[in-house]
Amino acid sequence: MAKDYTQMWSSIGLNLKGHDGLLTVLTEAYKGIYLSQKNRPKGMDYFDFVISEVHGLRIEEIFEAKKSGKKVIGTFCVYVPEELVLAVDGVCIGLCAGADVGADEAEKYVPRNTCALIKAFLGFKLAGLCPYVELTDLIVGETTCDGKKKAYEIFGEITNKVYVMELPHKKGVDGRSMWRNEIKRFADKLEELTGNKITPEKLLESSRIVNAKRKALQRLSALRAADPSPISGLDALLINQVSFYDDPIRFTVKTNELCDELEARIKAGAGVAAKGSPRVLISGSPMAIPNWKLHAIVEGSGATVVGEESCVGERNFRTLLDENFSSVEQGIDKLSERSLTVDCACFTPNTERLDNIVEMTKRLKAQGVIHYALQFCTPYMMEAFKAKKTVDAIGVPFLRIETDYSMEDMGQLTTRVGAFLEMMQTRANA
Ligand code: BJ8
Protein backbone atom coordinates (compact mmCIF):
# COMPACT_ATOMS: atom_id res chain seq x y z
CA MET A 1 0.00 0.00 0.00
CA ALA A 2 1.40 3.36 -1.03
CA LYS A 3 0.14 5.32 1.97
CA ASP A 4 0.00 4.86 5.71
CA TYR A 5 -3.68 4.41 6.60
CA THR A 6 -3.17 3.62 10.30
CA GLN A 7 -4.98 6.75 11.43
CA MET A 8 -8.02 5.92 9.27
CA TRP A 9 -8.17 2.28 10.44
CA SER A 10 -7.83 3.36 14.04
CA SER A 11 -10.65 5.90 13.65
CA ILE A 12 -13.07 3.18 12.56
CA GLY A 13 -12.05 0.93 15.43
CA LEU A 14 -10.13 -1.80 13.62
CA ASN A 15 -7.91 -4.13 15.61
CA LEU A 16 -4.65 -2.67 14.27
CA LYS A 17 -2.36 -5.52 15.23
CA GLY A 18 -4.63 -8.20 13.84
CA HIS A 19 -5.27 -6.10 10.76
CA ASP A 20 -1.54 -5.72 10.04
CA GLY A 21 -1.20 -9.48 10.33
CA LEU A 22 -4.13 -10.02 7.95
CA LEU A 23 -2.71 -7.66 5.32
CA THR A 24 0.69 -9.36 5.52
CA VAL A 25 -0.86 -12.80 4.96
CA LEU A 26 -3.04 -11.50 2.13
CA THR A 27 -0.16 -9.76 0.38
CA GLU A 28 1.95 -12.91 0.52
CA ALA A 29 -0.92 -15.10 -0.72
CA TYR A 30 -1.58 -12.68 -3.58
CA LYS A 31 2.06 -12.68 -4.61
CA GLY A 32 2.20 -16.46 -4.53
CA ILE A 33 -1.09 -17.11 -6.32
CA TYR A 34 -1.59 -14.11 -8.62
CA LEU A 35 1.65 -12.30 -9.31
CA SER A 36 3.45 -15.56 -10.05
CA GLN A 37 1.12 -16.30 -13.00
CA LYS A 38 2.76 -16.17 -16.40
CA ASN A 39 1.51 -14.28 -19.40
CA ARG A 40 -1.12 -12.13 -17.66
CA PRO A 41 -2.94 -9.42 -19.61
CA LYS A 42 -1.63 -5.90 -18.97
CA GLY A 43 -5.18 -4.86 -18.01
CA MET A 44 -4.86 -6.89 -14.81
CA ASP A 45 -2.59 -4.13 -13.44
CA TYR A 46 -5.69 -2.19 -12.44
CA PHE A 47 -7.15 -5.14 -10.52
CA ASP A 48 -3.80 -5.82 -8.84
CA PHE A 49 -3.84 -2.20 -7.75
CA VAL A 50 -7.39 -2.47 -6.42
CA ILE A 51 -6.39 -5.48 -4.35
CA SER A 52 -3.30 -3.76 -3.04
CA GLU A 53 -5.59 -0.91 -1.87
CA VAL A 54 -8.56 -3.03 -0.81
CA HIS A 55 -8.40 -1.71 2.76
CA GLY A 56 -6.71 1.56 1.75
CA LEU A 57 -7.76 3.76 -1.12
CA ARG A 58 -11.23 2.21 -1.53
CA ILE A 59 -11.94 2.73 2.16
CA GLU A 60 -10.74 6.31 1.87
CA GLU A 61 -13.11 6.82 -1.07
CA ILE A 62 -16.01 5.44 0.96
CA PHE A 63 -15.05 7.70 3.85
CA GLU A 64 -15.18 10.68 1.50
CA ALA A 65 -18.54 9.54 0.14
CA LYS A 66 -19.90 9.37 3.69
CA LYS A 67 -18.57 12.84 4.45
CA SER A 68 -20.49 14.14 1.46
CA GLY A 69 -23.67 12.69 2.95
CA LYS A 70 -23.89 9.38 1.07
CA LYS A 71 -25.00 6.23 2.88
CA VAL A 72 -23.16 2.93 2.63
CA ILE A 73 -25.22 -0.22 2.19
CA GLY A 74 -23.64 -3.64 2.76
CA THR A 75 -25.14 -6.70 1.09
CA PHE A 76 -24.55 -10.45 1.01
CA CYS A 77 -26.61 -11.68 -1.88
CA VAL A 78 -27.21 -11.04 -5.57
CA TYR A 79 -30.98 -10.96 -5.01
CA VAL A 80 -30.59 -7.56 -3.31
CA PRO A 81 -30.96 -4.94 -6.08
CA GLU A 82 -27.93 -2.66 -6.30
CA GLU A 83 -29.95 -0.39 -8.61
CA LEU A 84 -32.08 0.84 -5.70
CA VAL A 85 -29.02 1.65 -3.60
CA LEU A 86 -27.54 3.72 -6.43
CA ALA A 87 -30.90 5.37 -7.08
CA VAL A 88 -30.72 6.97 -3.61
CA ASP A 89 -27.07 7.96 -4.22
CA GLY A 90 -25.86 5.20 -1.89
CA VAL A 91 -22.68 3.15 -2.08
CA CYS A 92 -23.31 -0.60 -2.39
CA ILE A 93 -20.67 -2.97 -1.01
CA GLY A 94 -20.67 -6.77 -0.99
CA LEU A 95 -19.72 -8.01 2.48
CA CYS A 96 -19.26 -11.75 1.90
CA ALA A 97 -15.90 -12.92 3.17
CA GLY A 98 -13.68 -15.63 1.76
CA ALA A 99 -10.92 -16.11 4.34
CA ASP A 100 -10.58 -18.22 7.44
CA VAL A 101 -10.59 -15.29 9.87
CA GLY A 102 -12.06 -15.03 13.36
CA ALA A 103 -13.55 -18.54 13.24
CA ASP A 104 -12.93 -19.07 16.98
CA GLU A 105 -14.86 -15.91 17.78
CA ALA A 106 -17.62 -16.79 15.30
CA GLU A 107 -17.99 -20.24 16.83
CA LYS A 108 -19.00 -18.63 20.10
CA TYR A 109 -22.18 -17.57 18.29
CA VAL A 110 -22.79 -20.20 15.63
CA PRO A 111 -22.23 -23.95 15.53
CA ARG A 112 -18.92 -25.31 14.23
CA ASN A 113 -20.75 -26.95 11.38
CA THR A 114 -21.77 -23.63 9.80
CA CYS A 115 -20.49 -22.81 6.31
CA ALA A 116 -17.20 -20.92 6.09
CA LEU A 117 -18.77 -17.92 4.35
CA ILE A 118 -21.06 -17.22 7.31
CA LYS A 119 -18.35 -17.88 9.88
CA ALA A 120 -16.03 -15.53 7.98
CA PHE A 121 -18.40 -12.55 7.84
CA LEU A 122 -19.11 -12.95 11.53
CA GLY A 123 -15.42 -13.62 12.23
CA PHE A 124 -14.17 -10.55 10.36
CA LYS A 125 -16.51 -8.33 12.36
CA LEU A 126 -15.84 -9.96 15.71
CA ALA A 127 -12.08 -9.82 15.19
CA GLY A 128 -12.30 -6.13 14.20
CA LEU A 129 -10.79 -6.72 10.77
CA CYS A 130 -13.38 -5.51 8.26
CA PRO A 131 -13.38 -1.76 7.51
CA TYR A 132 -16.34 -2.18 5.13
CA VAL A 133 -18.67 -3.49 7.84
CA GLU A 134 -17.64 -0.62 10.10
CA LEU A 135 -18.48 1.95 7.42
CA THR A 136 -21.92 0.62 6.56
CA ASP A 137 -25.06 2.51 7.54
CA LEU A 138 -27.29 -0.46 6.74
CA ILE A 139 -26.52 -4.15 6.30
CA VAL A 140 -29.03 -6.02 4.18
CA GLY A 141 -29.61 -9.69 4.84
CA GLU A 142 -32.04 -12.03 3.08
CA THR A 143 -33.88 -15.22 3.91
CA THR A 144 -31.96 -17.49 1.55
CA CYS A 145 -30.35 -20.45 3.32
CA ASP A 146 -31.11 -21.29 6.97
CA GLY A 147 -27.55 -20.54 8.05
CA LYS A 148 -27.61 -16.98 6.73
CA LYS A 149 -31.15 -16.37 7.96
CA LYS A 150 -30.24 -17.21 11.55
CA ALA A 151 -26.78 -15.62 11.35
CA TYR A 152 -28.37 -12.28 10.45
CA GLU A 153 -30.24 -12.32 13.76
CA ILE A 154 -26.88 -12.60 15.51
CA PHE A 155 -25.22 -10.09 13.21
CA GLY A 156 -28.08 -7.70 13.93
CA GLU A 157 -27.45 -7.96 17.67
CA ILE A 158 -23.74 -7.35 17.15
CA THR A 159 -23.97 -4.44 14.68
CA ASN A 160 -27.44 -2.99 15.25
CA LYS A 161 -27.84 -2.24 11.58
CA VAL A 162 -29.18 -5.36 9.91
CA TYR A 163 -32.29 -5.23 7.74
CA VAL A 164 -33.62 -8.51 6.34
CA MET A 165 -35.47 -9.00 3.05
CA GLU A 166 -37.81 -11.97 2.91
CA LEU A 167 -36.95 -13.98 -0.17
CA PRO A 168 -39.45 -16.70 -1.15
CA HIS A 169 -38.18 -20.20 -1.90
CA LYS A 170 -40.55 -20.92 -4.76
CA LYS A 171 -41.06 -18.82 -7.87
CA GLY A 172 -44.83 -19.20 -8.18
CA VAL A 173 -47.42 -16.41 -8.26
CA ASP A 174 -47.41 -15.93 -4.47
CA GLY A 175 -43.61 -15.98 -4.25
CA ARG A 176 -43.31 -13.41 -7.02
CA SER A 177 -45.84 -11.10 -5.47
CA MET A 178 -44.19 -11.41 -2.04
CA TRP A 179 -40.76 -10.61 -3.48
CA ARG A 180 -42.13 -7.63 -5.38
CA ASN A 181 -43.49 -6.28 -2.07
CA GLU A 182 -40.16 -6.88 -0.40
CA ILE A 183 -38.36 -4.87 -3.07
CA LYS A 184 -40.84 -2.04 -2.61
CA ARG A 185 -40.32 -2.21 1.16
CA PHE A 186 -36.55 -2.06 0.60
CA ALA A 187 -36.96 0.98 -1.67
CA ASP A 188 -38.99 2.70 1.07
CA LYS A 189 -36.35 1.80 3.65
CA LEU A 190 -33.60 3.32 1.49
CA GLU A 191 -35.59 6.50 0.96
CA GLU A 192 -36.16 6.79 4.70
CA LEU A 193 -32.47 6.13 5.49
CA THR A 194 -31.06 8.58 2.95
CA GLY A 195 -33.81 11.17 2.74
CA ASN A 196 -33.56 10.85 -1.07
CA LYS A 197 -36.57 10.11 -3.20
CA ILE A 198 -36.32 7.42 -5.88
CA THR A 199 -37.51 8.98 -9.11
CA PRO A 200 -38.00 7.20 -12.46
CA GLU A 201 -35.01 9.18 -13.80
CA LYS A 202 -32.74 8.17 -10.91
CA LEU A 203 -33.81 4.55 -11.17
CA LEU A 204 -33.20 4.52 -14.90
CA GLU A 205 -29.77 6.07 -14.46
CA SER A 206 -28.77 3.55 -11.80
CA SER A 207 -30.16 0.68 -13.91
CA ARG A 208 -27.96 1.77 -16.79
CA ILE A 209 -24.91 1.81 -14.53
CA VAL A 210 -25.56 -1.69 -13.17
CA ASN A 211 -26.51 -3.08 -16.58
CA ALA A 212 -23.29 -1.66 -18.06
CA LYS A 213 -21.35 -3.49 -15.34
CA ARG A 214 -23.24 -6.71 -16.12
CA LYS A 215 -22.55 -6.28 -19.85
CA ALA A 216 -18.82 -5.85 -19.21
CA LEU A 217 -18.82 -9.04 -17.14
CA GLN A 218 -20.83 -10.85 -19.82
CA ARG A 219 -18.26 -9.73 -22.38
CA LEU A 220 -15.40 -11.03 -20.23
CA SER A 221 -17.22 -14.31 -19.78
CA ALA A 222 -17.85 -14.73 -23.51
CA LEU A 223 -14.17 -14.16 -24.33
CA ARG A 224 -13.20 -17.11 -22.15
CA ALA A 225 -14.80 -19.43 -24.71
CA ALA A 226 -11.73 -18.95 -26.93
CA ASP A 227 -9.15 -21.72 -27.10
CA PRO A 228 -6.73 -20.91 -25.61
CA SER A 229 -8.56 -18.74 -23.08
CA PRO A 230 -7.09 -15.24 -23.17
CA ILE A 231 -7.27 -14.94 -19.37
CA SER A 232 -6.78 -17.31 -16.47
CA GLY A 233 -9.70 -18.42 -14.35
CA LEU A 234 -7.92 -16.96 -11.33
CA ASP A 235 -7.84 -13.50 -12.92
CA ALA A 236 -11.45 -13.72 -14.13
CA LEU A 237 -12.54 -14.82 -10.64
CA LEU A 238 -10.71 -11.87 -9.13
CA ILE A 239 -12.48 -9.44 -11.47
CA ASN A 240 -15.83 -10.92 -10.47
CA GLN A 241 -14.91 -10.58 -6.80
CA VAL A 242 -13.82 -6.96 -7.26
CA SER A 243 -17.15 -6.18 -8.99
CA PHE A 244 -18.86 -6.37 -5.59
CA TYR A 245 -17.02 -3.48 -3.97
CA ASP A 246 -15.37 -1.30 -6.59
CA ASP A 247 -16.95 1.88 -7.90
CA PRO A 248 -19.31 0.46 -10.57
CA ILE A 249 -18.60 3.05 -13.29
CA ARG A 250 -14.83 2.82 -12.96
CA PHE A 251 -15.01 -0.97 -12.74
CA THR A 252 -16.96 -1.13 -16.01
CA VAL A 253 -14.47 1.08 -17.84
CA LYS A 254 -11.51 -1.00 -16.62
CA THR A 255 -13.17 -4.33 -17.39
CA ASN A 256 -14.04 -3.18 -20.91
CA GLU A 257 -10.46 -1.97 -21.44
CA LEU A 258 -9.23 -5.39 -20.35
CA CYS A 259 -11.71 -7.04 -22.74
CA ASP A 260 -10.35 -4.95 -25.63
CA GLU A 261 -6.93 -6.38 -24.83
CA LEU A 262 -8.33 -9.90 -24.57
CA GLU A 263 -9.98 -9.56 -27.99
CA ALA A 264 -6.61 -8.59 -29.48
CA ARG A 265 -5.03 -11.59 -27.78
CA ILE A 266 -7.63 -13.92 -29.25
CA LYS A 267 -7.07 -12.47 -32.73
CA ALA A 268 -3.35 -13.14 -32.31
CA GLY A 269 -4.05 -16.68 -31.09
CA ALA A 270 -2.48 -15.82 -27.72
CA GLY A 271 -3.73 -17.09 -24.39
CA VAL A 272 -2.77 -18.16 -20.90
CA ALA A 273 -2.18 -21.79 -21.85
CA ALA A 274 -1.36 -23.78 -24.97
CA LYS A 275 -4.22 -24.38 -27.42
CA GLY A 276 -6.00 -27.59 -26.50
CA SER A 277 -5.17 -27.35 -22.77
CA PRO A 278 -7.78 -28.89 -20.46
CA ARG A 279 -10.76 -26.64 -19.71
CA VAL A 280 -12.88 -26.78 -16.57
CA LEU A 281 -16.17 -25.20 -15.49
CA ILE A 282 -16.63 -24.62 -11.76
CA SER A 283 -20.18 -24.68 -10.48
CA GLY A 284 -21.69 -24.15 -7.04
CA SER A 285 -21.32 -22.03 -3.91
CA PRO A 286 -19.99 -18.50 -4.31
CA MET A 287 -16.27 -17.79 -3.85
CA ALA A 288 -15.99 -14.53 -1.93
CA ILE A 289 -12.75 -12.61 -1.95
CA PRO A 290 -10.01 -13.84 -1.13
CA ASN A 291 -11.19 -17.40 -1.70
CA TRP A 292 -8.97 -18.48 -4.62
CA LYS A 293 -8.32 -21.99 -3.33
CA LEU A 294 -9.95 -24.23 -5.94
CA HIS A 295 -8.96 -22.12 -8.94
CA ALA A 296 -5.36 -22.12 -7.70
CA ILE A 297 -5.40 -25.91 -7.42
CA VAL A 298 -7.01 -26.48 -10.83
CA GLU A 299 -4.78 -24.02 -12.66
CA GLY A 300 -1.72 -25.12 -10.70
CA SER A 301 -2.46 -28.62 -12.04
CA GLY A 302 -2.31 -27.47 -15.66
CA ALA A 303 -5.96 -26.83 -16.60
CA THR A 304 -7.71 -23.51 -17.23
CA VAL A 305 -10.92 -22.57 -15.44
CA VAL A 306 -13.11 -21.15 -18.20
CA GLY A 307 -16.23 -20.24 -16.24
CA GLU A 308 -17.90 -19.93 -12.85
CA GLU A 309 -21.52 -21.07 -12.56
CA SER A 310 -21.80 -19.18 -9.30
CA CYS A 311 -22.96 -15.90 -7.78
CA VAL A 312 -19.37 -14.71 -8.01
CA GLY A 313 -19.70 -15.52 -11.69
CA GLU A 314 -22.50 -15.78 -14.25
CA ARG A 315 -25.39 -16.04 -11.78
CA ASN A 316 -24.66 -12.42 -10.89
CA PHE A 317 -24.74 -10.94 -14.39
CA ARG A 318 -26.50 -13.44 -16.69
CA THR A 319 -29.70 -11.40 -16.98
CA LEU A 320 -29.91 -7.70 -17.65
CA LEU A 321 -32.59 -5.50 -16.16
CA ASP A 322 -35.27 -4.49 -18.66
CA GLU A 323 -34.86 -0.70 -18.74
CA ASN A 324 -38.20 -0.23 -20.41
CA PHE A 325 -40.06 1.46 -17.54
CA SER A 326 -41.37 4.96 -17.01
CA SER A 327 -42.41 4.92 -13.35
CA VAL A 328 -40.80 3.74 -10.14
CA GLU A 329 -43.57 1.17 -9.67
CA GLN A 330 -42.85 -0.32 -13.11
CA GLY A 331 -39.13 -0.24 -12.33
CA ILE A 332 -39.77 -2.21 -9.15
CA ASP A 333 -41.73 -4.78 -11.19
CA LYS A 334 -38.75 -5.16 -13.51
CA LEU A 335 -36.25 -5.41 -10.63
CA SER A 336 -38.26 -8.13 -9.00
CA GLU A 337 -38.68 -10.07 -12.29
CA ARG A 338 -34.97 -9.83 -13.06
CA SER A 339 -33.75 -10.94 -9.67
CA LEU A 340 -36.02 -13.97 -9.77
CA THR A 341 -34.16 -15.19 -12.84
CA VAL A 342 -31.23 -15.91 -10.48
CA ASP A 343 -31.00 -19.67 -9.98
CA CYS A 344 -29.86 -20.05 -6.37
CA ALA A 345 -30.05 -23.51 -4.83
CA CYS A 346 -32.15 -22.00 -2.02
CA PHE A 347 -35.11 -22.24 -4.44
CA THR A 348 -37.18 -25.30 -5.14
CA PRO A 349 -37.47 -26.51 -7.79
CA ASN A 350 -34.33 -25.02 -9.33
CA THR A 351 -34.16 -26.64 -12.75
CA GLU A 352 -32.94 -23.41 -14.40
CA ARG A 353 -29.58 -23.95 -12.74
CA LEU A 354 -29.21 -27.39 -14.32
CA ASP A 355 -30.01 -25.90 -17.74
CA ASN A 356 -27.48 -23.15 -17.13
CA ILE A 357 -24.74 -25.63 -16.18
CA VAL A 358 -25.29 -27.45 -19.48
CA GLU A 359 -25.43 -24.21 -21.46
CA MET A 360 -22.19 -22.93 -19.90
CA THR A 361 -20.39 -26.25 -20.33
CA LYS A 362 -21.19 -26.23 -24.04
CA ARG A 363 -20.64 -22.53 -24.72
CA LEU A 364 -17.32 -22.39 -22.87
CA LYS A 365 -16.21 -25.75 -24.28
CA ALA A 366 -15.49 -27.12 -20.82
CA GLN A 367 -14.28 -30.73 -20.85
CA GLY A 368 -15.08 -31.25 -17.19
CA VAL A 369 -17.29 -29.76 -14.46
CA ILE A 370 -16.12 -29.43 -10.88
CA HIS A 371 -19.00 -28.96 -8.48
CA TYR A 372 -17.86 -26.84 -5.58
CA ALA A 373 -19.81 -26.68 -2.34
CA LEU A 374 -18.66 -25.08 0.83
CA GLN A 375 -18.80 -27.63 3.64
CA PHE A 376 -22.17 -27.42 5.43
CA CYS A 377 -23.71 -25.46 2.52
CA THR A 378 -26.75 -27.72 2.39
CA PRO A 379 -28.46 -26.14 -0.66
CA TYR A 380 -25.48 -26.64 -2.98
CA MET A 381 -24.36 -29.94 -1.43
CA MET A 382 -27.84 -31.33 -2.03
CA GLU A 383 -28.12 -29.93 -5.53
CA ALA A 384 -24.80 -31.54 -6.50
CA PHE A 385 -26.73 -34.79 -6.93
CA LYS A 386 -28.91 -33.37 -9.72
CA ALA A 387 -26.00 -31.43 -11.19
CA LYS A 388 -24.05 -34.69 -11.55
CA LYS A 389 -26.95 -36.47 -13.19
CA THR A 390 -27.36 -33.59 -15.64
CA VAL A 391 -23.67 -33.36 -16.52
CA ASP A 392 -23.38 -37.17 -16.80
CA ALA A 393 -26.20 -37.06 -19.32
CA ILE A 394 -24.16 -34.87 -21.69
CA GLY A 395 -21.14 -37.14 -21.32
CA VAL A 396 -18.92 -34.64 -19.51
CA PRO A 397 -16.80 -35.76 -16.51
CA PHE A 398 -17.97 -34.42 -13.15
CA LEU A 399 -16.12 -34.05 -9.86
CA ARG A 400 -17.80 -33.15 -6.61
CA ILE A 401 -15.78 -31.21 -4.05
CA GLU A 402 -16.75 -30.03 -0.59
CA THR A 403 -14.26 -27.88 1.24
CA ASP A 404 -13.86 -24.81 3.45
CA TYR A 405 -11.40 -21.92 3.66
CA SER A 406 -8.65 -23.80 5.51
CA MET A 407 -5.54 -25.03 3.74
CA GLU A 408 -5.55 -28.39 5.52
CA ASP A 409 -7.01 -30.34 2.62
CA MET A 410 -4.89 -28.74 -0.12
CA GLY A 411 -2.83 -31.90 -0.64
CA GLN A 412 -5.85 -34.16 -0.82
CA LEU A 413 -7.71 -31.80 -3.18
CA THR A 414 -4.68 -31.46 -5.43
CA THR A 415 -4.49 -35.24 -5.77
CA ARG A 416 -8.21 -35.53 -6.53
CA VAL A 417 -8.16 -32.69 -9.06
CA GLY A 418 -5.02 -34.12 -10.71
CA ALA A 419 -6.68 -37.53 -11.16
CA PHE A 420 -9.84 -35.85 -12.48
CA LEU A 421 -7.90 -33.84 -15.08
CA GLU A 422 -6.14 -36.98 -16.26
CA MET A 423 -9.45 -38.77 -16.66
CA MET A 424 -10.88 -35.72 -18.43
CA GLN A 425 -8.04 -35.67 -20.93
CA THR A 426 -8.26 -39.39 -21.57
CA ARG A 427 -11.94 -38.97 -22.40
CA ALA A 428 -11.29 -35.87 -24.52
CA ASN A 429 -8.66 -37.77 -26.56
CA ALA A 430 -10.77 -40.92 -26.94
S1 BJ8 B 1 -28.14 -16.13 -4.48
S2 BJ8 B 1 -25.70 -18.54 -3.49
S3 BJ8 B 1 -25.33 -15.05 -2.83
S4 BJ8 B 1 -27.78 -17.01 -1.11
S5 BJ8 B 1 -22.39 -20.84 0.98
S6 BJ8 B 1 -24.30 -18.76 3.10
S7 BJ8 B 1 -25.94 -20.64 0.49
S8 BJ8 B 1 -24.65 -22.23 3.38
S9 BJ8 B 1 -24.08 -17.59 -0.31
FE1 BJ8 B 1 -25.67 -17.08 -1.81
FE2 BJ8 B 1 -27.53 -15.32 -2.55
FE3 BJ8 B 1 -27.82 -17.90 -3.13
FE4 BJ8 B 1 -25.98 -16.49 -4.33
FE5 BJ8 B 1 -25.75 -20.39 2.72
FE6 BJ8 B 1 -24.31 -21.97 1.17
FE7 BJ8 B 1 -23.11 -20.61 3.09
FE8 BJ8 B 1 -24.13 -19.37 0.96
Side-chain angles (χ1 to χ4, degrees):
M1 236 170 288
K3 228 168 119 180
D4 181 3
Y5 295 105
T6 314
Q7 176 63 36
M8 177 177 75
W9 294 330
S10 165
S11 74
I12 51 176
L14 292 193
N15 160 2
L16 292 181
K17 192 158 169 262
H19 189 250
D20 276 355
L22 172 73
L23 290 189
T24 307
V25 172
L26 270 183
T27 307
E28 284 313 304
Y30 197 74
K31 273 190 204 154
I33 296 172
Y34 274 89
L35 302 183
S36 63
Q37 293 179 98
K38 303 253 170 354
N39 203 14
R40 294 177 83 207
K42 186 84 189 73
M44 284 310 295
D45 287 357
Y46 170 72
F47 299 95
D48 289 341
F49 175 71
V50 170
I51 294 297
S52 71
E53 291 288 339
V54 63
H55 282 194
L57 204 57
R58 184 65 182 131
I59 298 300
E60 209 171 54
E61 284 181 346
I62 296 173
F63 243 121
E64 290 306 313
K66 277 176 84 81
K67 270 196 222 152
S68 72
K70 292 191 174 189
K71 299 289 183 196
V72 179
I73 316 298
T75 62
F76 291 98
C77 181
V78 298
Y79 283 103
V80 178
E82 183 180 357
E83 291 90 340
L84 288 178
V85 175
L86 300 186
V88 291
D89 285 330
V91 178
C92 190
I93 297 289
L95 294 178
C96 288
D100 202 359
V101 166
D104 291 348
E105 283 301 307
E107 283 172 17
K108 291 180 187 159
Y109 293 83
V110 295
R112 251 196 104 232
N113 55 355
T114 302
C115 93
L117 189 147
I118 293 172
K119 274 200 252 183
F121 78 67
L122 285 167
F124 264 94
K125 165 64 191 160
L126 293 166
L129 297 175
C130 183
Y132 292 100
V133 168
E134 302 308 329
L135 289 177
T136 49
D137 297 286
L138 187 75
I139 296 176
V140 188
E142 37 14 82
T143 57
T144 43
C145 67
D146 286 350
K148 270 178 153 185
K149 200 161 59 188
K150 299 310 284 182
Y152 294 136
E153 291 177 17
I154 297 163
F155 212 47
E157 278 181 20
I158 297 169
T159 62
N160 262 326
K161 45 190 179 186
V162 171
Y163 169 88
V164 176
M165 296 180 75
E166 188 175 356
L167 187 78
H169 290 159
K170 282 175 76 94
K171 294 178 183 172
V173 178
D174 291 347
R176 285 176 188 278
S177 133
M178 180 181 113
W179 183 236
R180 201 258 176 222
N181 290 342
E182 279 300 280
I183 296 204
K184 172 77 176 96
R185 197 170 67 93
F186 181 47
D188 294 346
K189 175 77 187 172
L190 289 171
E191 287 186 338
E192 179 200 309
L193 177 78
T194 60
N196 295 337
K197 191 102 193 93
I198 300 176
T199 62
E201 295 73 28
K202 286 297 280 182
L203 190 54
L204 194 58
E205 185 192 334
S206 67
S207 301
R208 287 187 177 137
I209 292 172
V210 183
N211 266 346
K213 176 161 79 165
R214 291 189 188 113
K215 282 181 197 162
L217 287 165
Q218 286 179 351
R219 189 177 166 205
L220 172 66
S221 179
L223 293 171
R224 295 167 76 190
D227 181 16
S229 171
I231 187 166
S232 67
L234 271 166
D235 280 339
L237 173 66
L238 185 81
I239 296 167
N240 276 283
Q241 291 172 333
V242 167
S243 74
F244 287 93
Y245 62 88
D246 197 7
D247 172 80
I249 297 178
R250 179 177 60 207
F251 172 87
T252 302
V253 170
K254 292 296 174 184
T255 303
N256 276 321
E257 280 173 15
L258 173 81
C259 288
D260 293 342
E261 183 187 352
L262 299 185
E263 277 170 5
R265 276 186 158 210
I266 294 171
K267 263 194 201 137
V272 283
K275 192 173 167 59
S277 299
R279 304 166 66 85
V280 169
L281 175 74
I282 293 184
S283 166
S285 306
M287 293 171 175
I289 195 162
N291 177 6
W292 305 308
K293 185 174 168 180
L294 185 56
H295 281 58
I297 292 174
V298 173
E299 300 204 325
S301 307
T304 307
V305 176
V306 291
E308 291 79 28
E309 189 283 311
S310 159
C311 287
V312 185
E314 291 212 7
R315 220 177 286 139
N316 178 35
F317 56 77
R318 181 176 290 123
T319 339
L320 299 178
L321 180 74
D322 179 358
E323 293 169 8
N324 188 16
F325 58 85
S326 51
S327 67
V328 173
E329 290 300 318
Q330 279 175 4
I332 287 175
D333 288 343
K334 303 282 183 191
L335 285 170
S336 117
E337 284 159 20
R338 192 212 81 88
S339 58
L340 286 181
T341 64
V342 172
D343 53 351
C344 177
C346 296
F347 276 85
T348 183
N350 191 32
T351 48
E352 308 98 285
R353 178 166 171 242
L354 305 176
D355 297 340
N356 285 325
I357 294 173
V358 171
E359 188 277 327
M360 284 184 74
T361 306
K362 291 184 176 166
R363 170 168 45 90
L364 299 168
K365 303 177 199 84
Q367 296 146 329
V369 174
I370 300 186
H371 192 277
Y372 167 84
L374 277 174
Q375 249 162 32
F376 313 118
C377 171
T378 312
Y380 285 91
M381 281 165 63
M382 298 281 271
E383 221 164 75
F385 172 78
K386 284 196 171 180
K388 178 171 175 4
K389 222 169 133 194
T390 305
V391 174
D392 282 351
I394 54 166
V396 171
F398 183 94
L399 176 68
R400 176 179 172 158
I401 279 178
E402 280 155 26
T403 185
D404 56 16
Y405 294 166
S406 80
M407 294 299 140
E408 279 164 21
D409 58 354
M410 285 291 282
Q412 190 212 37
L413 288 181
T414 306
T415 308
R416 287 184 63 204
V417 167
F420 178 69
L421 296 181
E422 249 177 60
M423 187 263 278
M424 221 174 84
Q425 270 179 305
T426 313
R427 279 234 221 151
N429 297 333

